[in-house]
Amino acid sequence: MKGSLSAADSKWVQLLYSGVLAVIGGYIFQWIHCPIPWLLGPMVAVFAGSRLSKTVKPYWSGSLRDAGMIIVGYMLGLSFTLETFAQIGKQLPSMVLLTALLLICSCLIAWLVAKFSGLDFPTVLMGSIPGGLSQIIALAEELKGTDLTVITFLQISRVIMIVFFVPLLIFSPLFGSLHHSLPVAGSTAAASWSGLFPHIVVYAVVCTGFALLWKKIKFPTAFLLGPMVATIVLHLSGLPGPTLPPSLVSISQLLIGGYLGLMLKPEKLNNKVKIMVLALLSGAALLTCSIGLSLLLAFMHAVPLSTSFLSLSPGGMDQMGIIAKEVNADLSFVTCYQLFRTLFIFLVVPPVLKALFKARLRPEGRLPDKAS
């Protein structure tokens, strides 16, 4: 009995169990023709396995997720050309405007949720900001009076909700993307494992090095942005970057999806039903706002609605990049908007929130002034 318990508690056994769940989930979702099956399937299967198993607890190493992020970062970097940077300059005013509007929408949603639920506004607000999960969690730890468990749940549930529902919307007739959702036959045929070498070795070493370096300097989403920047530099310097075979893209999705499936832990909440309902409502409201803003973006710059929607969807840049690749949206356009929002949240939002919360707490006597 003791030996069986130690085996069940082994990280390798737990990882193997999770990996089997992820692969089964991927094949099932592929069989039922679900959008991005190798992201959603592993996510759902690992989440379900973590709730159903009584003996073996699923485990997913953060290093596996990081490896998947490096692959996606490489894929995003390949989409950048010199014309892309010219496009960024033209799009900058729109990026500022639409990012600000999306954040304003999230603030209004947080205020309404806090008003009708009785939850503390700072807690709901920090749980509603679209993106920058690690930065928001770190900021929440610095500020007193916020519920870190609720913030984490709201953030993670929003990401998972976006990852699940955005593909369904994108592949629906609502966005009119069915006619261009299939990959281009020529590019798929050219993408093979043998075609990766020898250039992929250089890219793998440099991308991994950039990821580790950016993590050391505490840059946001280092394992995505580091490889993306490295790929852009190498690609524009004249070293051709090989197109990834579909099976490798699927593996990267599985590595990320399995990790997402273990992030959501509703059992740690005090008022489970109440918080889960609020998370669903606030996520749906924010998704509705992003659809409205994507209509504005599509009108302003005459881009397909699928591209504009993915550019403004309040999910992670890695997940939106994967979906954009699947539907043949403008990958560089989507990445530019998602990257701008990530950097904006990383650089601007934390100091603004600190100033607002300190000003809010001082009059109530809950935060002493340093001068005293």
Side-chain angles (χ1 to χ4, degrees):
M1 178 67 70
K2 190 173 182 180
S4 63
L5 283 175
S6 61
D9 291 336
S10 168
K11 292 294 184 184
W12 288 108
V13 173
Q14 295 170 345
L15 183 59
L16 178 61
Y17 172 64
S18 304
V20 171
L21 287 175
V23 172
I24 292 174
Y27 275 116
I28 290 175
F29 273 54
Q30 181 174 268
W31 178 62
I32 64 176
H33 301 287
C34 182
I36 54 170
W38 290 99
L39 181 69
L40 298 183
M43 183 181 75
V44 172
V46 173
F47 174 78
S50 67
R51 299 299 173 281
L52 298 176
S53 175
K54 301 296 184 181
T55 55
V56 182
K57 292 184 177 180
Y59 167 73
W60 204 270
S61 171
S63 299
L64 293 176
R65 189 276 313 265
D66 293 340
M69 297 275 276
I70 289 175
I71 297 172
V72 175
Y74 168 82
M75 183 179 69
L76 296 178
L78 282 183
S79 68
F80 279 77
T81 63
L82 292 176
E83 290 76 16
T84 302
F85 291 99
Q87 183 186 69
I88 292 175
K90 295 178 182 178
Q91 296 283 336
L92 190 57
S94 298
M95 290 180 186
V96 174
L97 172 64
L98 293 169
T99 298
L101 289 175
L102 186 61
L103 291 176
I104 290 172
C105 288
S106 66
C107 291
L108 291 174
I109 293 169
W111 179 78
L112 289 171
V113 170
K115 181 177 181 179
F116 291 104
S117 68
L119 292 173
D120 188 46
F121 174 67
T123 295
V124 181
L125 176 60
M126 297 183 70
S128 303
I129 293 175
L133 173 62
S134 58
Q135 300 92 273
I136 296 300
I137 297 302
L139 178 60
E141 292 174 340
E142 296 178 19
L143 297 173
K144 304 299 181 183
T146 56
D147 191 326
L148 189 59
T149 302
V150 174
I151 292 172
T152 304
F153 181 83
L154 289 175
Q155 284 282 348
I156 294 173
S157 61
R158 174 186 51 78
V159 171
I160 292 177
M161 182 178 176
I162 296 301
V163 169
F164 197 85
F165 283 105
V166 165
L168 299 180
L169 288 171
I170 285 292
F171 280 87
S172 70
L174 176 65
F175 283 82
S177 58
L178 291 176
H179 63 281
H180 66 275
S181 61
L182 296 176
V184 180
S187 60
T188 303
S192 63
W193 284 91
S194 61
L196 294 176
F197 300 95
H199 292 164
I200 197 62
V201 176
V202 178
Y203 275 95
V205 172
V206 176
C207 286
T208 304
F210 265 61
L212 296 174
L213 175 63
W214 283 42
K215 182 183 180 182
K216 189 173 183 178
I217 63 177
K218 301 185 184 304
F219 209 79
T221 55
F223 284 91
L224 182 73
L225 296 183
M228 188 180 79
V229 171
T231 301
I232 292 172
V233 172
L234 287 175
H235 191 57
L236 295 183
S237 66
L239 182 67
T243 303
L244 299 180
S247 54
L248 185 55
V249 176
S250 297
I251 290 173
S252 70
Q253 295 178 22
L254 182 146
L255 295 176
I256 296 172
Y259 184 84
L260 288 174
L262 285 183
M263 289 179 70
L264 198 60
K265 299 176 181 178
E267 65 275 4
K268 292 187 176 181
L269 296 171
N270 291 326
N271 301 312
K272 299 180 181 62
V273 176
K274 179 181 178 181
I275 302 299
M276 290 173 69
V277 170
L278 291 174
L280 289 173
L281 291 176
S282 61
L286 191 57
L287 191 57
T288 302
C289 290
S290 68
I291 292 175
L293 293 175
S294 67
L295 290 170
L296 177 60
L297 177 58
F299 174 77
M300 292 170 61
H301 295 286
V303 295
L305 188 54
S306 57
T307 294
S308 64
F309 180 49
L310 290 172
S311 300
L312 297 175
S313 291
M317 182 165 53
D318 52 334
Q319 298 106 31
M320 296 307 105
I322 289 171
I323 299 170
K325 178 77 172 177
E326 290 291 319
V327 301
N328 284 338
D330 189 332
L331 193 54
S332 61
F333 191 99
V334 171
T335 304
C336 287
Y337 273 82
Q338 290 285 342
L339 175 59
F340 181 84
R341 191 178 78 242
T342 299
L343 296 177
F344 187 88
I345 290 172
F346 176 70
L347 298 172
V348 178
V349 170
V352 171
L353 286 181
K354 282 183 179 180
L356 287 175
F357 290 167
K358 285 181 179 180
R360 178 178 180 267
L361 294 175
R362 276 201 189 102
E364 301 175 10
R366 288 154 56 189
L367 185 68
D369 198 330
K370 291 182 180 179
S372 63

